[in-house]
Structures are given as structure tokens and as C-alpha cells.
Amino acid sequence: MSARIIVITSGKGGVGKTTTTANVSMALARQGKKVVVVDGDIGLRNLDVILGLENRIVYNLVDVIEGTCSLKQALIRDKRVDGLYLLPAAQTRTKDCVTSDQMKTLCEELSPDFDFIILDSPAGIESGFRNASAGATEALVITTPDVSAVRDADRIIGMLESMGKSSINLVVNRLRPHMVQNGDMLSVEDVLDILSVKLIGIVPEDDSVVVSSNRGEPLTLSAESPAATAFSNIARRILGEEVTFLDVANMNKGGLLQGLMRLFKRS
Amino acid sequence: MGLGFFERLFGSSRGPSKKMAKERLQLVLIHDRTDITPELMDALRRDLIEVITRYMDVDEKNIELGMDRDEKEGQIALEASIPVLRLKRGSQIKAKPQA
């Protein structure tokens, strides 16, 4: 078994990298894949909390790299889903305590045992991002449909291209269909025009994301909200399936139920 | 004062704001991507002057050079404004430098 290694990054902070990492990884595991998620945000870890696994952390990624413990000791198996494992970041260290080479070696060590290694990159373009991306061959770039995020996404795409990543795909997150319909928010087409990169997901703004992080239960564990469906669809497309994208133009403003029904009719 | 006041304030009379967002992004990314440093702009300017002065005398100090959005076409363009002093006669035009 040789794993597909995907980094989830964005440039801009707060656009949904960790949420996407948690949900897509869980969706992949639910599809029967063996997935390890690696939290690359050393010093500001959040993947553990979003997954609801924060109470089970004993060792972390830095411990493994420094040889304090074995990889096996640090990996946390998610008991809710078969095949999902978390390698947490250190909280009391900083990003300069690992190197790109060490991260590459870590990925090589993990690769034989997993179908997917998903790395959650921190925001920014400095060593945190570079280290998280070092071992990856594929990248998911997350953006929201606003000027700042798209600008930063462009920069990060440029950097990923110059790092030689073979596959770079875009997720447009936190879309508000009624604002797009009114012309008050960039549409997915606008964003694709500007970034010229392949689209792999459209995720609508969804209150249930907040609730899920409150509970430490990723949406794709069991929920059926629009965002949950969107994240599951991203996982399916990663696996090579052709899934129709969310029809933003025809999504109802307040009609969450109607929007849901259209989604279900399409899939 | 009613709802109408707020509508006018926040944009229904100015049209949808996403058009502005898209245009601003396209312009800003041209600069971000090509990383046109002042040094590069100077080099571009010197090269342009060198070529143009083969055909005409220009007021070099008053040349304006910049990237902007063409109002009509909506395309990003390199815009140059080059005041011409006089055109050279055919016999005065130097041959291109050999490569």
C-alpha cells in the first residue's frame, strides 16, 4: 500500500482548512479507506478539537520526529469510524522545531500503512505551510468567495506550482447562495476565472458547521446538512467519482429544506 | 428615513458589488503575480525608450507607464503615454541592432 498524500492549505486563515480536513478525511474513512490526518499547525493545533479527539492526545508529531516515542504510540485511532487516525500537532512548541525533510520522512514512514495521508496546513506562506506541504504530491486549496481569500489563494497556488505539486484542486467554501444571486458575492465561476485552477468542491455556508465543532463531531460522521453533503462529495471526487456540483444559482435563500431536497434529487 | 435610505447607502443604486470585487482582484493579481518591481518597470521603460527613439524623438522625462484596466474593453492593459517631439526621416532611422 502506498498512500496518496494530500495537503490542505489556503494562504488565508480562517477559511475552513481544518474543518475541510476533518470532514473530508472522515468521509474517506467512511468510504472504507484507511486515512491518517496530520495536524501541521504546530503551536496552534485545532484538528484535535474539531475531530473531538482532544482528550486522547498523549504524544504528538514533534515527539515522533524527535524520537521521544514511536509513530504507533502517537497515532490516535478514532473509535467512531473504522480506518481514521489522527497524528496531532504539538501545542507548546513552534513551527521551526521541524524541518521539511523530517516531514517528508514522516510521510514515507506512514505511507505503507495508509490509503491516504491528509496534512492540515497552517495559514501563511512560511515554514508551517512549507513543512506541511513537503511530503505531499497533491493539494487542496481552500478559499472563500471574497477578495482577501482569493488573493491569498492565488499566491499559495503559485507556491504549490513552483514546489511541483502534481495536482492542485480548489474548494470554494462558505458560499452564500442568496448573496451570489443578488450579485453581492463572487460566484464560483468568478473565482475559477480568476484563479484558473480545477474545482473539486463547493461548500455552502452552513450553521451546522459551528454546532459540529461545538460537539467535536464532524458533519460527515452522520449529519445530512448541505455542508455535510458537500464535504462527502469532495471525498467522492477525490476517489475519482464524478459528482455533480451544488447548483448555487437555484439554491433557495432561506429554504434550507428545499435546497437539501434538490441536492438529494441530484445525487 | 426608511428602508429606502439604507438601500441607497448600501448599493442597490450602485449596482452589485461583486463586479467591483472581481475587477479589483484581477488588477491586484496582475501586480502580485508578475511581481513587477520598480526595477523591472525601469528596465521596461528604458527598453521601450530605446526602441521608440529609433523612429521618433520623444520627451523622455514625461513618459507615463503603468498597468490599468481599459475602461471600454475591461481588459488589463499596459498603458503608455509618450509625448512625441518629432518623427525622424526615413534616412535617419537606425537599423535594428544585430542579435
Side-chain angles (χ1 to χ4, degrees), chain B residues 36-98:
Chain B
I36 300 232
T37 61
E39 292 77 21
L40 263 167
M41 243 352 193
D42 283 338
L44 177 62
R45 190 194 192 87
R46 270 180 307 214
D47 284 348
L48 270 171
I49 291 173
E50 193 203 296
V51 169
I52 290 169
T53 50
R54 271 189 250 135
Y55 299 84
M56 53 191 84
D57 289 333
V58 298
D59 182 3
E60 294 182 25
K61 287 195 191 64
N62 287 315
I63 293 180
E64 284 170 18
L65 202 58
M67 300 280 224
D68 212 340
R69 173 173 286 278
D70 181 349
E71 288 310 315
K72 276 179 290 210
E73 305 286 301
Q75 266 274 78
I76 305 286
L78 173 69
E79 295 191 342
S81 174
I82 304 168
V84 177
L85 298 172
R86 80 186 70 79
L87 266 72
K88 296 191 173 171
R89 282 194 289 275
S91 55
Q92 288 178 312
I93 292 176
K94 294 191 203 114
K96 282 188 201 154
Q98 294 304 314

Side-chain angles (χ1 to χ4, degrees), chain A residues 164-181:
Chain A
K165 301 308 173 195
S166 65
S167 151
I168 300 169
N169 288 287
L170 186 75
V171 174
V172 180
N173 195 20
R174 307 193 70 168
L175 198 73
R176 295 195 212 185
H178 62 283
M179 284 187 76
V180 175
Q181 287 160 18

Side-chain angles (χ1 to χ4, degrees), chain A residues 110-159:
Chain A
L110 285 163
S111 178
D113 296 320
F114 291 94
D115 296 308
F116 284 93
I117 302 172
I118 314 280
L119 298 129
D120 187 13
S121 163
I125 49 172
E126 301 82 8
S127 62
F129 152 72
R130 281 199 296 273
N131 290 342
S133 312
T137 38
E138 303 175 51
L140 243 58
V141 175
I142 316 292
T143 188
T144 47
D146 64 87
V147 174
S148 306
V150 173
R151 184 189 192 172
D152 290 357
D154 188 73
R155 181 98 199 264
I156 217 84
I157 291 168
M159 297 190 84

Side-chain angles (χ1 to χ4, degrees), chain A residues 147 150-151 154 182-187 190 193-194, chain B residues 16-19 21-22 24-26 28-29 32-33:
Chain A
V147 174
V150 173
R151 184 189 192 172
D154 188 73
N182 291 340
D184 287 326
M185 177 177 270
L186 292 166
S187 68
D190 291 329
D193 257 348
I194 293 166
Chain B
S17 59
K18 80 147 187 180
K19 191 156 169 281
K22 194 171 183 185
R24 288 173 64 217
L25 260 171
Q26 283 169 323
V28 114
L29 286 180
D32 284 0
R33 280 176 184 170

Side-chain angles (χ1 to χ4, degrees), chain A residues 45-244:
Chain A
R45 71 180 175 202
N46 277 306
L47 192 50
D48 56 325
V49 140
I50 296 298
L51 282 168
L53 299 174
E54 70 275 13
N55 290 327
R56 297 184 45 211
I57 298 179
V58 180
Y59 294 109
N60 60 64
L61 139 74
V62 177
D63 292 327
V64 175
I65 286 176
E66 289 181 342
T68 308
C69 71
S70 73
L71 196 43
K72 213 160 182 273
Q73 288 174 293
L75 287 174
I76 299 168
R77 194 178 77 79
D78 193 323
K79 293 176 181 161
R80 302 162 297 190
V81 173
D82 250 345
L84 182 61
Y85 294 76
L86 166 67
L87 181 58
Q91 182 64 340
T92 56
R93 307 293 294 271
T94 55
K95 290 178 172 50
D96 45 23
C97 65
V98 304
T99 66
S100 286
D101 282 338
Q102 286 169 329
M103 290 299 289
K104 276 195 203 141
T105 308
L106 179 70
C107 289
E108 282 162 22
E109 244 194 280
L110 285 163
S111 178
D113 296 320
F114 291 94
D115 296 308
F116 284 93
I117 302 172
I118 314 280
L119 298 129
D120 187 13
S121 163
I125 49 172
E126 301 82 8
S127 62
F129 152 72
R130 281 199 296 273
N131 290 342
S133 312
T137 38
E138 303 175 51
L140 243 58
V141 175
I142 316 292
T143 188
T144 47
D146 64 87
V147 174
S148 306
V150 173
R151 184 189 192 172
D152 290 357
D154 188 73
R155 181 98 199 264
I156 217 84
I157 291 168
M159 297 190 84
L160 290 164
E161 281 170 349
S162 66
M163 285 166 102
K165 301 308 173 195
S166 65
S167 151
I168 300 169
N169 288 287
L170 186 75
V171 174
V172 180
N173 195 20
R174 307 193 70 168
L175 198 73
R176 295 195 212 185
H178 62 283
M179 284 187 76
V180 175
Q181 287 160 18
N182 291 340
D184 287 326
M185 177 177 270
L186 292 166
S187 68
V188 175
E189 289 73 28
D190 291 329
V191 175
L192 288 175
D193 257 348
I194 293 166
L195 294 176
S196 351
V197 72
K198 210 157 162 280
L199 181 72
I200 199 170
I202 304 174
V203 185
E205 178 79 50
D206 190 337
D207 287 351
S208 63
V209 171
V210 178
V211 176
S212 85
S213 87
N214 289 343
R215 295 208 176 106
E217 285 172 12
L219 291 173
T220 49
L221 182 56
S222 56
E224 290 183 353
S225 62
T229 309
F231 286 127
S232 296
N233 288 349
I234 292 171
R236 286 161 70 191
R237 289 184 198 110
I238 288 174
L239 292 171
E241 204 186 316
E242 283 208 24
V243 187
T244 319

